[in-house]
Amino acid sequence: MGLQVWCVYFCLCVAYSLTKPTEKKERVHHDPQLSDKVHDDAQNFDYDHDAFLGAEEAKTFDQLTPEESKERLGIIVAKIDVDKDGFVTQEELKAWIKKAQKKYIYESVAQQWHEFDMNQDGLISWDEYRNVTYGTYLDDPDPEDGFNYKQMMTRDERRFKMSDKDGDGVATKEEFTAFLHPEEYDYMKDIVVLETMEDIDKNGDGTIDLEEYIGDMYSHDKDAEEPEWVKTEREQFVEFRDKNHDGKMDKEETKDWILPSDYDHAEAEARHLVYESDQNKDGKLTKEEIVDKYDLFVGSQATDFGEALVRHDEF
């Protein structure tokens, strides 16, 4: 087994051993907030800056002069305009915001990339991933640590194939990111649901009943009374999770549970930025319209020219 996978499973074992029976395991994937700042344009545009750039990158713009901010914003605009038609649409802006918010994920994948791209061709095949991750354990039918590596590998291969959006048998960086972080991609939602159901469905009937649902969250101690939150979860299952009241959750009911249709913060922010910057009200933005409202998108403050200006080129 590869060092990376061994570390993952070691951490999982430690986590399970340290988790208290009364603690709740969280399966639900919520759309995270774009910023921890208050969204009040009357006071400042800090929320918009975090949303547009990501919180860490937004900090670097506060150290630039307005002229430098405008110059760098112009470069960013060219990258947002994916189809290169000279306009930034709401959809392109939404996609950019989502990318900015997932920057930490991309950085994590970049750190792992060279470990798996063994032939240095800029792509990762399933064979490359399998060999690096599982290595010599593929031929061991009865490993000492008890893990069923072949079962794990089969599950990984299924996810790898689903992440291969164009079906060419190899993963680009974006596809590999979807493989490692499927909950972040709409087209990977089905595999997230399927894997979750496989984890919880102990009797293998393809559904999740009440006891399986509770058992996944709570390790029952016979000598202790159930915590109040467990009782609440039982009620939630009966009243809300099991929508057709047949005593179990099927695929769609499980999807509604773990992948709720949350408020789309990126879409709302993109709509807000377009509304505030679209001077001719044609529903799309030119570079000039965006740069003219640079303080809304990136912000800056006049700096002491004696101070070093921080510059980052990731975008």
Side-chain angles (χ1 to χ4, degrees), residues 213-231:
Y213 174 78
I214 295 298
D216 180 62
M217 304 178 182
Y218 172 66
S219 299
H220 185 68
D221 185 344
K222 295 181 180 179
D223 298 327
E225 184 178 354
E226 276 189 354
E228 196 61 35
W229 70 261
V230 177
K231 297 177 183 177

Side-chain angles (χ1 to χ4, degrees), residues 126 130 134 138 149-157:
W126 165 247
R130 180 191 60 191
Y134 297 103
L138 293 174
Y149 298 119
K150 289 189 177 180
Q151 186 177 34
M152 290 159 50
M153 184 180 68
T154 299
R155 180 160 154 158
D156 273 355
E157 184 175 15

Side-chain angles (χ1 to χ4, degrees), residues 59-69 72 299-303 309-311:
K59 292 177 183 177
T60 69
F61 274 81
D62 287 338
Q63 302 175 65
L64 304 179
T65 65
E67 291 72 22
E68 288 173 313
S69 285
R72 286 185 56 187
S300 75
Q301 61 188 24
T303 58
L309 299 179
V310 177
R311 294 178 175 83

Side-chain angles (χ1 to χ4, degrees), residues 4 102-117 120 124 172-174 176-177 180-181 314:
Q4 178 188 23
K102 290 192 290 189
K103 188 179 178 188
Y104 73 97
I105 292 176
Y106 289 114
E107 290 175 344
S108 173
V109 172
Q111 290 173 359
Q112 302 174 64
W113 181 262
H114 297 295
E115 178 183 355
F116 294 103
D117 182 14
Q120 303 292 302
I124 294 175
T172 62
K173 281 193 177 179
E174 190 71 19
F176 194 60
T177 304
L180 295 178
H181 301 275
E314 292 89 345

Side-chain angles (χ1 to χ4, degrees), residues 240-291:
F240 302 107
R241 310 281 186 240
D242 176 19
K243 297 182 185 299
N244 62 3
H245 304 294
D246 64 351
K248 52 196 175 184
M249 288 194 297
D250 58 22
K251 179 180 176 181
E252 286 305 312
E253 289 168 331
T254 302
K255 184 176 183 178
D256 288 342
W257 166 44
I258 66 171
L259 297 168
S261 300
D262 289 339
Y263 177 76
D264 194 326
H265 300 285
E267 182 176 351
E269 178 64 12
R271 190 184 310 117
H272 168 67
L273 293 175
V274 170
Y275 176 81
E276 294 294 335
S277 309
D278 185 13
Q279 296 175 15
N280 63 2
K281 302 304 176 185
D282 63 351
K284 52 190 176 182
L285 303 177
T286 63
K287 175 181 176 180
E288 290 71 26
E289 286 176 322
I290 292 175
V291 173

Side-chain angles (χ1 to χ4, degrees), residues 154-222:
T154 299
R155 180 160 154 158
D156 273 355
E157 184 175 15
R158 181 181 62 189
R159 188 199 284 192
F160 190 92
K161 287 180 178 179
M162 182 168 282
S163 67
D164 180 17
K165 200 169 185 179
D166 58 11
D168 64 355
V170 291
T172 62
K173 281 193 177 179
E174 190 71 19
E175 290 170 334
F176 194 60
T177 304
F179 168 69
L180 295 178
H181 301 275
E183 70 284 351
E184 299 290 340
Y185 291 80
D186 288 341
Y187 81 99
M188 295 293 289
K189 286 184 176 180
D190 284 347
I191 201 70
V192 175
V193 174
L194 180 58
E195 290 179 357
T196 300
M197 293 188 75
E198 288 175 345
D199 289 342
I200 303 175
D201 176 23
K202 300 304 181 185
N203 63 13
D205 68 349
T207 63
I208 298 173
D209 61 34
L210 176 58
E211 293 312 311
E212 289 170 334
Y213 174 78
I214 295 298
D216 180 62
M217 304 178 182
Y218 172 66
S219 299
H220 185 68
D221 185 344
K222 295 181 180 179

